[in-house]
Amino acid sequence: MRLFIDSANLDEIRTAASWGILSGVTTNPTLLAKEDPTVDVRERIREIHRLVGGHISVEVVSTDTAGMLREAEEIVSWLPEAVIKIPMTAEGLAAVRQLSRQGIPTNVTLVFSPAQAILAANAGASFVSVFLGRLDDIGNDGVRTLADICEIWERQGLEVEIIAASLRHPMHLVEAARAGADIATAPFRVLQQSLKHPLTELGLQAFLADYHRLQEAQARTRQVPLVV
Ligand code: E4P
C-alpha cells in the first residue's frame, strides 16, 4: 500500500517528504482554505508537486459537468501531471466519463459506499477515494465499507485504484492495508503518530546510553598502564 499525504501545508508536506515515505499528495478545497490566502493556489499546488512528485490530486469546485470539464482542462494546462478530483455526483460521473475518454486521470472523491464505488469505476475513474473517518463519525464502519469495496474489486478483477481517505489515526492506516487498499492518504498528524512508538524511543535511549558507557569503559581501559 502506497502512502500519500492529505494536506496543502508546505511545512507538513516538506517534513513528511523528507522521511522518504510519500508517493503522492491529495488536496481538497478545505485543506487549501486553511493555508495563507496571499499565496496563489496554483503556485502552492505546483510547489507541493515539486516537493513530493508522483501523484497529485487537485479537486474541482464546479457542480455542473461542463464547469468540471473546463476546470479540469485548465488544471492540466498548468499541471499536466494532475489527477482531477471529482465529487461522487451524477454530474461528476459524467465528467469522469468524458475525462477518461480524453485520457485525463480522475479521482472520484466523497465515496461512502460500495455501490458508489462501482458506479465510479464504471464511469472510468482512475482512483476512488473511500472516506473512512467520516463514516465512523456518523456511527457507520468505515473500515468495513473499505473492506467490502476491496473484496468486490478482487472478485470483479477491477483495476481502479482504491484510496483509503479521511483517516483519523494509525489503526485506520493499518486496517486500510489489511483490507487491501492500494493507497492510504493520511493527514500529517496520522503519519507522525504512525512513525512514533514509546518503545522505539526508550529502546534508542538505552542503546545510546549503553554505547556511551562502553566508550567510557574503553577510555578507562586505555588509561590503565600495562603491567609486565
Ligand atoms: C481525501 O482525498 C480527502 O482530502 C480527505 O481524506 C478528507 O478527509 P477529512 O474527513 O479528514 O476531511
Side-chain angles (χ1 to χ4, degrees):
M1 183 178 78
R2 283 149 28 230
L3 292 177
F4 294 172
I5 186 168
D6 196 30
S7 175
N9 181 281
L10 294 179
D11 291 335
E12 290 180 353
I13 294 169
R14 197 174 289 113
T15 304
S18 76
W19 302 341
I21 58 165
L22 295 181
S23 305
V25 185
T26 50
T27 58
N28 67 39
T30 304
L31 293 171
L32 287 163
K34 286 184 190 159
E35 303 304 320
D36 180 358
T38 63
V39 178
D40 177 60
V41 170
R42 285 184 196 188
E43 268 321 303
R44 175 173 297 280
I45 292 171
R46 281 208 203 101
E47 178 61 17
I48 290 172
H49 187 51
R50 271 193 293 273
L51 289 173
V52 180
H55 178 109
I56 177 137
S57 277
V58 185
E59 190 158 342
V60 297
V61 287
S62 300
T63 51
D64 62 307
T65 305
M68 291 181 198
L69 292 173
R70 265 196 307 278
E71 274 189 71
E73 277 173 30
E74 202 260 332
I75 293 167
V76 291
S77 74
W78 52 266
L79 189 62
E81 302 86 350
V83 173
I84 308 301
K85 213 171 176 191
I86 306 264
M88 176 62 221
T89 59
E91 295 77 8
L93 292 181
V96 168
R97 164 60 63 183
Q98 185 55 37
L99 292 170
S100 89
R101 285 199 185 111
Q102 293 171 231
I104 297 176
T106 53
N107 171 2
V108 174
T109 188
L110 295 166
V111 169
F112 294 97
S113 73
Q116 287 183 317
I118 291 168
L119 263 58
N122 276 275
S126 322
F127 301 85
V128 290
S129 288
V130 185
F131 279 47
L132 274 55
R134 292 194 196 187
L135 277 168
D136 292 355
D137 291 347
I138 61 158
N140 285 5
D141 186 343
V143 169
R144 184 66 259 157
T145 304
L146 176 74
D148 286 346
I149 294 171
C150 291
E151 191 187 326
I152 293 164
W153 254 228
E154 188 70 28
R155 181 81 53 101
Q156 298 284 333
L158 292 172
E159 284 178 1
V160 181
E161 295 205 80
I162 299 172
I163 304 181
S166 182
L167 305 187
R168 302 273 193 264
H169 46 72
M171 280 316 288
H172 269 157
L173 205 78
V174 173
E175 292 301 337
R178 198 200 306 277
D182 298 286
I183 296 147
T185 188
F188 180 68
R189 182 181 46 78
V190 173
L191 294 175
Q192 215 171 20
Q193 289 171 332
S194 305
L195 174 73
K196 290 182 189 293
H197 195 287
L199 290 179
T200 306
E201 277 154 43
L202 286 172
L204 183 59
Q205 278 168 22
F207 284 154
L208 295 179
D210 289 343
Y211 185 68
H212 208 68
R213 260 204 307 279
L214 171 67
Q215 275 189 318
E216 281 172 358
Q218 284 184 327
R220 273 198 305 277
T221 311
R222 280 195 293 272
Q223 279 162 16
V224 175
L226 280 177
V227 181
V228 190

